[in-house]
Amino acid sequence: MIRFASTIVALAGLLSAAPAAAAIYRVGIGAGCTHASIQGAVGAAFSSAEADVIRISQTQSYTQQSILIDQVQGALVLAGGFATCQSNAPTPGARTQLNGNGNLSVVRINETRTVELDDLDIQGGRGTGSGGGVYVTGSDGAVLALGNTLVRSNQGASGGGIAVFNTDADSGVGAMQLLLFGSSAALNNSAIIGGGIQCSGATVMLFDQSHVSFNASSDNGGGIHAQNCRVELRSSGVNGIVLLSNTASGNGGGMYLGGARSQGDIYTIDPYKPARIYNNSARQGGGLAVADDAQLRLFETSIEENTASAGGGAILLQPGAHATGDTRFLMQGTIAGAPAAAVECADPEACNRVYGNRAMNGSTPQPGSAILVDAAASTSAHATFRGTRLEMNNGETLSRHLDARGQVSFDGALLVRNIASGVLLDARGAANSLVVSASTIAWNNMMSNGRGVIAGSGSCDIDNDYLGTHLYRSIIWQETHPLLEAIGGIQPVCFRYLIGNDFSGFPASSDRLVANPSLANPVGANFELALDSPALDFAPAQPINSTRNGGPRVFDMDDHANRLGPQDLGAYEYVTDLIFASGFGAEDE
């Protein structure tokens, strides 16, 4: 039987259990064996229209392997972990090693509709082309499923571990599938692009405890390189880590997602193990790179301790020369709009974080420790952080727009304890957009002496994709630092309903207040509002604004007089009930 078929059917509707009449071939030495080689068993299964199973015993070593599965008629399972050919079930936790022959992929799959690899350890492939461990070419409807299978220590030009190529150039995203189940992983592989996995015109999905770790590329995509692909990472991985310690000499240490047809979702499936992108590194985009009109969404995810040697410690948005539309990134703390399997975190403060990332060239700080937007003038890029906590990131700036078109939006976000050798948020450039709404920028962000919190335009244009600098319903308490290093004159309508320490250059207004915001316990990392905070019931209601802890907007306190309306300023409303938010983009006025 196909061990993971029921899971695949439930989640993707792709496979069905093997019929009772399916042939079972047994590979090895000794009683009960039908074939001495895996290739011989594949040949025997070639013409069968049934879902045949090849059980690979551990009665011999499998070296110099270059297994070709070419246009096999029915679904085919290669299952390892069987002690002998007479064993009717694999030994729990056992994997059968398949070692490559040094110059070809260990397993090559061509135009075979469904292949499943179970309980295997595929290593030592040295493909001169793509897919050092596993190389798959096929068209719409083709599926490769890995169950409890490791693909490790392989090399290839693209897809050092696994390469999946859809040969149907006109197919839609998702028409071909790569699925990792159980405790499957792409480990310690290397390539020019896509050190762990290379995807072209297909779908990559991680389930259960699968992960992509310790892979390397000499160009883009240390862990995963996905071009015009659908990527869905919904695994609890290694303590929640789905992309771990991958490196890229180019862009996207953990993952590079590029192309107008590329869509990605990363989300939590275990409320006690939030999805994490951890300790990846690259020249740009240490954790993630999103390029050329691709769209990536993160729900209840944490981006932690990634490093880039020059810009973009965590995330790089780079539409590039070939983009014609809009490159988009969304990170939020609710599962509104997420795939059905997504769950809320048990502790909201442990999720939806950008934490401890670094943008450094040696010891020299570089721009964008959290995000760098590098958009060509004729294209656009949008990054939205909704309810996100950005903390302990270190670089020249936390956020940086290069001198071209792009938007960064913080909604209900908390920016604390970051280190910037320049300003915190750098949005200089006439075509740039920075929107900070219902957010808290407070206390001990460390910036260069005398520098402002924000460098950007003093004007704004709501009707033209929120160009300029917009700051609404927020708290900015950074003593000794002015709010704004303005490019051009300050337009007061762009800066409304604010509490801060310094509004130098701003005309007096009842909707801007210089006052200590009185946070609950900032020393103890609690940045919610205290009961005596002047930020309570300060602004007109804008229910669409997010909150850091998933609490609702707006809650009008009966025993507290409204200043200009019932909404609290900053990332927290003074309640803890849960609601949901949805959608992309800027969301204030």
Side-chain angles (χ1 to χ4, degrees), residues 94-170:
R95 293 185 174 97
T96 300
Q97 288 188 8
L98 306 183
N99 289 277
N101 67 2
N103 56 28
L104 290 172
S105 306
V106 181
V107 179
R108 292 175 291 150
I109 303 168
N110 177 48
E111 293 296 342
T112 296
R113 187 170 182 83
T114 301
V115 176
E116 184 173 326
L117 307 176
D118 291 342
D119 297 318
L120 299 173
D121 183 351
I122 298 170
Q123 56 180 277
R126 298 293 183 269
T128 55
S130 300
V134 181
Y135 178 47
V136 187
T137 59
S139 53
D140 293 0
V143 177
L144 171 63
L146 275 64
N148 291 327
T149 288
L150 301 181
V151 181
R152 62 188 180 103
S153 302
N154 302 282
Q155 297 178 6
S158 64
I162 305 168
V164 181
F165 290 92
N166 192 337
T167 56
D168 185 349
D170 297 324

Side-chain angles (χ1 to χ4, degrees), residues 220-273:
N220 296 334
I224 299 174
H225 185 280
Q227 188 69 27
N228 289 318
C229 285
R230 166 81 181 153
V231 177
E232 191 167 329
L233 307 184
R234 48 151 299 171
S235 165
S236 61
V238 182
N239 293 322
I241 304 173
V242 291
L243 297 172
L244 170 63
S245 298
N246 301 286
T247 62
S249 298
N251 301 331
M255 180 172 69
Y256 178 96
L257 184 70
R261 290 187 292 170
S262 279
Q263 303 170 1
D265 285 324
I266 304 174
Y267 54 92
T268 290
I269 60 168
D270 183 336
Y272 299 98
K273 294 180 180 179

